[in-house]
Amino acid sequence: MVAMKVTKEEIQRTVTESPLVLFYQGIKADATRQRYSRMLKLVLCNMFEEILDGDLEQRAVQFVKHGRENPDWTRDLLLILSRKLRDRTGLPREHPEYLNPASIGMYFKPIKKLLDMNDIVISWKRIYATYPELDNVHDTRGWTRQEIQRMLRFSRPMDRAMILVSASSGIRIGGFTGLEWQDLVPIYRTADGALQMERTESQDGAEIVCATLKIYRGTSESYPAFVTPEAYHSIQDYREEWMAQIGREPRQDEPIFIKSGDLQRRATIATVRKHVSTVIARARLRVPGSKISRRYDVPMMNGFRRFWNKACKESLSRDSPLSSLIKKEFMMGHVGLVKLDRNYFKSNIVELAEEYLNAVPNLTIDDAVRLRESNRRKDERIRKLEDEKDTRISDLEEMVRQMATHMKK
């Protein structure tokens, strides 16, 4: 039986927990925890090197202590940090210290989380007011289909699966690290045109039209993403490599993407980034030494997300423009057009899949596969028109018979 009473020891333990432990308790997603940890260490151990002492944990204790005893001092320290970061945004873009104005918030989010989880209140409005204007006019774009096709020519099974999942789902790089085999569920279209997530023995003719991925399972940020049949089959091909590496079939609760080796160690953000960057280098899409400024014209992982967004936005939908846009925002892991959309505009998996299917031709990378899909859709439309034609002819014939019968009377 679970103990329901709160003890004095539990209260004491909560009071004495270190600031860093409380900081980690406030972050649910593994990808966010890694990103916040790196940035917190950069600020406390590097930028505040002469202000605080010791390792990261010791510095966190000192910083929280300052915030509790002298919140004005802490606020002023953060204002100075904001000014120094803002100065970097004014440098020429080719300067090694140049900072994109949109990146400033990344330095403060882990600091705010550390203070919030330790009940330290400071005037964040004053700090936010010092952020520079977001005038980032550097032209960036998403990957093109032709560039992704070139990547696939230089890809191994795991690389291919990562690239096609990225391009067809638009998920962030952090979404890869938590994916388990149970998170991948194919969606079938039956002979009568209905979509379902299970195929029974009586429906052997059902075909896979897409698959859903549960991103950030078990967190408040969880949402359903979708992949094309092309990407789904690439994962199944990679599954063979997974089994050859581990020596058995994967269990449902085991990670899809793993590091190389005999142990099934979950792939990290660095693992995914390394695989994709290696393929891009092989494909000569980023030639070493050709980088003039601090940024390439296509962000490595976000370039797939931009490809997804463009392909989906250009796809026709049977829904209203507003409804279609909200569904697409859901599938990107966004809250929606407004924060209440997630609460008041609930769409089940099948409804979202119907919307996603409109974009499958645009999201399919292989030209031959796209051609087959296009021909299949044309055949489907022709069959539908023929059925409607037959129905109309039958209705007319029935109407003629009824009129003839009536005239005889």
Side-chain angles (χ1 to χ4, degrees), residues 169-171 183 211-215 223-227 330-332 349 356:
S169 68
I171 65 173
D183 296 324
T212 180
L213 286 171
K214 188 73 170 180
I215 308 300
Y223 72 95
F226 295 85
V227 295
F330 279 165
M331 287 187 279
M332 287 193 79
I349 298 296
Y356 179 78

Side-chain angles (χ1 to χ4, degrees), residues 258-274:
I258 56 176
K259 295 182 178 181
S260 58
D262 296 334
L263 301 176
Q264 37 110 310
R265 296 173 298 165
R266 189 179 298 271
T268 62
I269 289 177
T271 306
V272 179
R273 195 181 297 279
K274 181 179 180 181

Side-chain angles (χ1 to χ4, degrees), residues 105 250 284 308 388 394:
R284 304 285 289 177
W308 186 96
E388 291 175 353
S394 297

Side-chain angles (χ1 to χ4, degrees), residues 103-119:
S103 302
I104 284 190
M106 296 169 53
Y107 290 83
F108 289 95
K109 285 180 179 179
I111 292 294
K112 187 175 187 303
K113 176 66 70 174
L114 176 65
L115 295 177
D116 287 348
M117 291 302 296
N118 287 277
D119 298 322

Side-chain angles (χ1 to χ4, degrees), residues 39-58:
M39 194 58 70
L40 183 68
K41 186 174 182 179
L42 175 64
V43 174
L44 298 187
C45 298
N46 188 324
M47 296 180 170
F48 294 165
E49 181 181 7
E50 298 184 9
I51 306 297
L52 306 171
D53 299 309
D55 57 21
L56 176 59
E57 186 167 3
Q58 292 169 329

